[in-house]
Amino acid sequence: MYNLVFLGPPGAGKGSQAVRVSQRLGIPHISTGDMLRAAVKNETPIGLEAKAYMDRGELVPDEVVIGIVKERLSLSDAEGGYILDGFPRTLAQAEALSNVTKVTKAINIAVEDEKLVKRLSGRRVCMKCGYTGHLDYDPDEICPKCGDKLIQRDDDKPDTIRNRLAVYNKSTLPLIEYYQGLGVLEELDGYRSIDAVYIDVMRVLGVQ
Ligand code: AP5
């Protein structure tokens, strides 16, 4: 069973890898960041509460995010496995997750902070189809999948990126030890090409 958690700092490539692994294994990619951005866009009560935290690069309160994830994991498409991207991010979230499901692998994609600022400042996303790109390979800022305009995420501005990295180092880094303790941790070097990291993810999952 592939009950997967993708760990790693902002910009490590969790989302980029999760999209590919989800397609390859046929299990849902559950990104709390994507779900929260959709809630903000649709101006739901959760979105209205989350927006200020996200704009500052702070974590949305545990009880809000835990509620969203529990509800999502209860849907039938997650019965045969899932990839959690961006959750858990605190010890309280990790413990809440352990109470509802057994994680079979936690894959930590590691990249140093200085390299992440460049990656994230150049990231461009498509609000229409969800594609994630980068100025390095999408210099015309047009989505290669659907042709819509690519935009910069509100929290991909340098000051907010630095705060997100600080929050990660304080609140989320301890989860590496948590999953090591559960005997399910795999650590990968994320500062290689997307293809090279993907091959490594498949290797640790034992997928040919
Ligand atoms: P979220 O959306 O989860 O953001 P994040 O963790 O900061 O992660 P990112 O999406 O920035 O990075 P990524 O690792 O997925 O990298 P990507 O593949 O896009 O969260 C946003 C906010 O929501 C949080 O700040 C918080 O407020 C809130 N939130 C979400 N979850 C929460 C939770 N559980 N609890 C509380 N609050 C929560 O890649 C980045 C860029 O690099 C792209 O341009 C990509 O093309 C490029 N790239 C990727 N891999 C490579 C590679 N190998 N080589 C070169 N370029 C690469």
Side-chain angles (χ1 to χ4, degrees):
M1 174 80 104
Y2 297 108
N3 289 346
L4 310 177
V5 162
F6 281 12
L7 296 171
K14 303 179 295 293
S16 301
Q17 296 300 328
V19 167
R20 290 180 169 210
V21 176
S22 162
Q23 280 168 1
R24 174 73 177 79
L25 300 180
I27 53 176
H29 167 205
I30 302 174
S31 157
T32 42
D34 286 349
M35 288 193 282
L36 289 168
R37 277 183 291 280
V40 169
K41 192 175 166 202
N42 295 326
E43 299 184 343
T44 67
I46 284 178
L48 293 173
E49 182 180 354
K51 186 174 181 341
Y53 294 99
M54 296 173 78
D55 285 348
R56 290 195 302 268
E58 304 286 341
L59 295 182
V60 174
D62 283 338
E63 60 275 16
V64 174
V65 189
I66 289 169
I68 297 178
V69 171
K70 276 190 182 169
E71 197 178 314
R72 181 62 187 86
L73 286 178
S74 72
L75 300 183
S76 58
D77 68 339
E79 279 169 11
Y82 54 78
I83 304 167
L84 281 169
D85 160 15
F87 183 96
R89 263 176 152 96
T90 64
L91 224 37
Q93 292 180 15
E95 283 163 357
L97 184 64
S98 293
N99 287 336
V100 294
T101 180
K102 188 173 169 3
V103 170
T104 55
K105 285 261 186 252
I107 300 181
N108 182 47
I109 304 177
V111 179
E112 290 163 22
D113 284 9
E114 320 85 78
K115 292 165 180 161
L116 295 169
V117 178
K118 180 175 182 294
R119 265 200 199 172
L120 288 172
S121 324
R123 173 165 56 186
R124 294 295 181 269
V125 295
C126 177
M127 295 307 281
K128 195 167 167 200
C129 74
Y131 169 79
T132 295
H134 196 281
L135 285 181
D136 284 352
Y137 41 86
D138 302 296
D140 56 358
E141 298 184 64
I142 298 293
C143 177
K145 294 222 157 131
C146 74
D148 217 39
K149 177 117 187 68
L150 296 178
I151 60 156
Q152 185 173 40
R153 255 168 60 172
D154 286 343
D155 60 351
D156 278 346
K157 310 281 158 64
D159 282 354
T160 317
I161 292 171
R162 282 193 190 89
N163 195 34
R164 286 163 60 202
L165 289 170
V167 167
Y168 169 81
N169 285 320
K170 180 166 171 273
S171 303
T172 311
L173 208 53
L175 297 189
I176 293 176
E177 216 168 292
Y178 177 84
Y179 283 110
Q180 197 160 32
L182 293 182
V184 295
L185 182 73
E186 298 285 351
E187 300 219 57
L188 304 183
D189 172 9
Y191 198 63
R192 294 171 295 153
S193 70
I194 294 180
D195 285 347
V197 177
Y198 176 69
I199 288 169
D200 233 11
V201 173
M202 289 292 122
R203 178 185 58 76
V204 301
L205 293 178
V207 179
Q208 300 298 319

